[in-house]
Amino acid sequence: MKQAETFKKLWDRWKYAVLVVAAGAALLLLPSGGKQSAAVVPDENVQDTVQETEKRMETILAKIDGVGELHLMLTADTGTSRHLAQDTELSYSGDTAAPEDYQRKSETVLSGGSGSEEPVVTETRCPTWRGALVVCQGGGDAQVRLAVTAAVASLTGLGSDRITVVKCQ
């Protein structure tokens, strides 16, 4: 009887810690073979993407009434990235409750026929912008500044506190 009471006191004190450790061990032992995960691959031409975006935005912003000649500079926090589908396989040796050794192997999933295989892209992320500077002839007019700020904000997702519109000399 005394031993049962001691066990109950210990269990009441440590039951949550034991349950968390047991849940963690169970999650580690779950096999992930055959499931697909994603690998993030940065796009090599981040600078090209930024410059292309700047040129396209300059073209459209210059058409706003009162803007005149315009120059735009964008800064990016992150570049574009592609998430590639991965086929991951987990193998282990020994008892499933306490494996002696385990190994994880991942391969990028390819699509297409022979000779023209390309990786399967599961997601493409656009750049995250840090700020924008717009220098234009109409930058001295409050209405032009407001219109340009609103347009840049809607195209980049930046807040107005990260967009500066000034008059060029």
Side-chain angles (χ1 to χ4, degrees), residues 85-101:
Q86 296 284 308
D87 187 14
T88 305
E89 182 179 325
L90 178 67
S91 60
Y92 53 90
S93 62
D95 186 22
T96 57
E100 294 171 13
D101 187 30

Side-chain angles (χ1 to χ4, degrees), residues 6 114 134 138 142:
T6 305
S114 60
V134 180

Side-chain angles (χ1 to χ4, degrees), residues 1-14:
M1 183 78 170
K2 188 148 180 118
Q3 197 174 31
E5 288 177 20
T6 305
F7 178 75
K8 184 172 179 357
K9 285 182 184 178
L10 282 174
W11 176 252
D12 288 340
R13 186 173 183 184
W14 295 99

Side-chain angles (χ1 to χ4, degrees), residues 9-29:
K9 285 182 184 178
L10 282 174
W11 176 252
D12 288 340
R13 186 173 183 184
W14 295 99
K15 66 182 171 186
Y16 295 113
V18 170
L19 290 174
V20 168
V21 169
L27 288 173
L28 284 173
L29 294 175

Side-chain angles (χ1 to χ4, degrees), residues 57 72-75 77 127-134 145-165:
M57 285 179 65
L72 170 70
M73 180 177 177
L74 292 172
T75 55
D77 262 344
T128 304
W129 303 109
R130 178 179 294 163
L133 171 64
V134 180
R145 282 197 313 268
L146 181 63
V148 170
T149 300
V152 172
S154 67
L155 292 172
T156 61
L158 289 170
S160 60
D161 62 324
R162 294 183 178 246
I163 302 168
T164 303
V165 180

Side-chain angles (χ1 to χ4, degrees), residues 10-100:
L10 282 174
W11 176 252
D12 288 340
R13 186 173 183 184
W14 295 99
K15 66 182 171 186
Y16 295 113
V18 170
L19 290 174
V20 168
V21 169
L27 288 173
L28 284 173
L29 294 175
L30 288 175
S32 63
K35 293 186 179 178
Q36 291 184 356
S37 59
V40 179
V41 177
D43 207 344
E44 295 82 22
N45 54 2
V46 173
Q47 194 61 30
D48 293 342
T49 303
V50 171
Q51 288 175 348
E52 180 182 311
T53 303
E54 285 176 345
K55 286 179 185 175
R56 289 178 61 203
M57 285 179 65
E58 280 179 354
T59 302
I60 197 72
L61 292 173
K63 294 182 181 186
I64 295 175
D65 186 35
V67 170
E69 185 182 342
L70 176 130
H71 301 283
L72 170 70
M73 180 177 177
L74 292 172
T75 55
D77 262 344
T78 62
T80 56
S81 63
R82 298 178 301 153
H83 293 248
L84 305 179
Q86 296 284 308
D87 187 14
T88 305
E89 182 179 325
L90 178 67
S91 60
Y92 53 90
S93 62
D95 186 22
T96 57
E100 294 171 13

